[in-house]
């Protein structure tokens, strides 16, 4: 084989990953546009225009759509119909977008810019931003419970339970509570978090939703235990990597590219692995996590090459 072959192969895989991410982003935009469209859902008495406008503002027109990509890519390992994967992906993206709108509120991270645009409470007002988040969170479970998501009720129920747990007390919301508590805002002398505490906090606030994205593929694909566990492991490792990359972007990223303010975490006393380990060690950790993520996919052989590229993307992204 000529010496350039392995390099060419790896460039091809990165290109396939980018193409698929772009395709999912466009499909999810269309899907959310439809799900938040003008047609009333059965049982609806009225549709407050300001609320639907704010929900559309929060959910449409931006974001990498990496979580729905994970659902689609992981589900495709089992030959799941793309329409089903896109429904589950849309539900997950609704929870993610709601978490961003609430994360940006003055009472939380107090940010003015998100996805290169004014945050929801700046474009509307605080109460509307809160309600838009509430509306998207509940819509997520409406979507998962629909026949369109999967013909088998047992599969839909598993998706509902897994997303509820990833989103709530022991998942994203719980992690956000720990994140704010670590700033010291509820306690004059907050305990200094060590590496393990920060890992737990981040596995909850960020890891849980990314992990759900991977596990949702296994649920839709009715995977056996070995392949289910492999995706679960891949999702947890990817989640840890994702937040380290986010924290590095806060430190070193270009605000014009990331579409949100940078340089805020240290000033706000955020508990991050970059803060605990330093940037250089956090970058080494990120590299190790990519290797771990690739290894977790071993049971899938070559059919998971694009998911391996997805792990490399998480570590090297500039937005
Ligand atoms: C940002 O998530 C919030 C974190 C959990 C780190 P993303 O980086 O996926 O944001 P979008 O969806 O692409 O805007
Ligand atoms: C966000 O963490 C986690 C969420 C659950 C939204 P950050 O607060 O670091 O996310 P950004 O940097 O505002 O996107
Ligand atoms: Mg935050
Ligand atoms: Mg924030
Ligand atoms: Mg951040």
């Amino acid at each position: 084989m000529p010496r350039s072959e392995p390099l060419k192969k790896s460039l091809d895989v990165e290109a396939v990953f980018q193409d698929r991410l772009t395709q999912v982003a466009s499909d999810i935009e269309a899907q959310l546009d439809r799900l938040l469209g003008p047609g009333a859902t059965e049982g609806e008495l009225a549709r407050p225009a300001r609320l639907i406008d704010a929900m559309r503002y929060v959910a449409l027109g931006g974001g990498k759509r990496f979580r729905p990509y994970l659902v689609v890519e992981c589900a495709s390992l089992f030959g799941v119909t793309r329409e089903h994967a896109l429904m589950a992906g849309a539900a997950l993206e609704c929870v993610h977008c709601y978490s961003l709108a609430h994360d940006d509120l003055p009472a939380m991270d107090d940010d003015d810019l998100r996805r290169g645009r004014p945050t929801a409470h700046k474009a509307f007002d605080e109460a509307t931003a809160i309600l838009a988040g509430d509306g998207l969170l509940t819509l997520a479970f409406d979507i998962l419970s629909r026949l369109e998501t999967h013909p088998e009720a047992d599969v839909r129920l598993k998706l509902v339970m897994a997303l509820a747990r990833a989103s709530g007390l022991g998942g994203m919301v719980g992690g956000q509570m720990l994140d704010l508590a670590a700033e010291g805002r509820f306690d004059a002398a907050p305990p200094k978090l060590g590496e393990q505490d920060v890992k737990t906090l981040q596995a909850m606030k960020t890891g849980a939703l990314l992990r759900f994205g991977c596990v949702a593929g296994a649920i839709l694909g009715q995977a056996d235990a070995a392949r289910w566990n492999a995706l679960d492991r891949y999702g947890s490792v990817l989640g840890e990597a994702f937040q380290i990359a986010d924290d590095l972007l806060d430190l070193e990223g270009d605000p014009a590219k990331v579409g949100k303010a940078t340089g805020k975490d240290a000033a706000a006393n955020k508990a991050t692995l970059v803060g605990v380990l330093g940037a250089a060690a956090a970058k080494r950790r990120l590299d190790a996590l990519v290797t771990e993520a690739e290894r977790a996919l071993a049971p899938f052989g070559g059919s998971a090459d694009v998911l391996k590229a997805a792990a490399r993307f998480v570590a090297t992204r500039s937005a």
Side-chain angles (χ1 to χ4, degrees):
M1 185 187 285
R3 280 183 62 170
S4 61
E5 271 307 302
L7 177 64
K8 180 169 181 303
K9 181 164 178 276
S10 112
L11 287 176
D12 286 349
V13 175
E14 312 306 328
V16 171
F17 162 72
Q18 280 301 339
D19 279 357
R20 290 192 189 174
L21 179 61
T22 305
Q23 189 55 55
V24 168
S26 132
D27 290 351
I28 279 291
E29 183 74 15
Q31 184 84 312
L32 289 170
D33 184 41
R34 180 177 69 84
L35 290 163
L36 291 162
T41 308
E42 196 191 328
E44 241 171 46
L45 297 181
R47 295 206 127 194
R50 186 173 178 83
L51 183 56
I52 186 81
D53 287 352
M55 287 167 72
R56 289 178 62 85
Y57 182 83
V58 170
L60 300 177
K64 295 178 285 297
R65 311 301 199 185
F66 185 67
R67 291 158 190 79
Y69 162 78
L70 286 175
V71 179
V72 170
E73 192 71 53
C74 292
S76 79
L77 292 170
F78 307 96
V80 170
T81 317
R82 191 174 175 90
E83 284 67 33
H84 294 162
L86 284 171
M87 285 291 278
L92 173 55
E93 188 67 13
C94 283
V95 176
H96 170 59
C97 294
Y98 126 73
S99 82
L100 298 179
H102 282 197
D103 180 76
D104 291 333
L105 286 166
M108 294 190 67
D109 288 354
D110 192 13
D111 273 299
D112 297 346
L113 199 70
R114 168 69 63 186
R115 294 174 165 176
R117 300 180 305 176
T119 45
H121 62 275
K122 287 282 170 189
F124 293 83
D125 62 279
E126 278 181 50
T128 305
I130 292 169
L131 292 174
D134 295 341
L136 287 170
L137 173 61
T138 44
L139 177 63
F141 294 97
D142 178 337
I143 293 170
L144 288 185
S145 65
R146 293 184 198 186
L147 206 54
E148 249 184 292
T149 298
H150 200 275
E152 289 180 39
D154 175 58
V155 168
R156 301 200 299 275
L157 191 60
K158 285 192 173 108
L159 288 170
V160 165
M161 186 188 272
L163 183 59
R165 291 182 180 178
S167 307
L169 181 61
M172 186 275 291
V173 172
Q176 290 284 67
M177 186 80 246
L178 295 175
D179 175 275
L180 297 179
E183 281 183 21
R185 47 169 94 188
F186 311 123
D187 192 341
K192 186 118 188 70
L193 299 195
E195 187 178 337
Q196 194 50 52
D197 304 312
V198 175
K199 273 193 201 167
T200 303
L201 177 169
Q202 298 196 332
M204 291 168 71
K205 80 164 182 175
T206 299
L209 289 184
L210 287 145
R211 184 174 159 207
F212 169 81
C214 302
V215 169
I219 296 175
L220 286 164
Q222 297 170 291
D224 58 46
R227 296 203 288 174
W228 181 302
N229 290 336
L231 287 179
D232 193 8
R233 172 89 194 124
Y234 169 77
S236 324
V237 173
L238 205 67
E240 185 178 341
F242 199 93
Q243 188 61 45
I244 295 177
D246 185 78
D247 296 339
L248 284 166
L249 286 172
D250 181 82
L251 189 70
E252 301 173 343
D254 173 358
K257 277 192 189 154
V258 291
K260 57 189 183 186
T262 57
K264 291 192 67 190
D265 289 347
N269 242 340
K270 287 288 185 196
T272 67
L273 276 184
V274 175
V276 172
L277 303 175
K283 284 177 193 166
R284 287 196 294 276
R285 174 90 195 132
L286 200 47
D287 288 342
L289 287 167
V290 172
T291 308
E292 244 182 274
E294 290 173 343
R295 233 180 252 145
L297 295 169
F300 298 99
S303 47
D305 281 355
V306 183
L307 278 176
K308 293 178 189 162
R312 295 192 288 276
F313 162 78
V314 163
T316 54
R317 67 202 172 93
S318 57

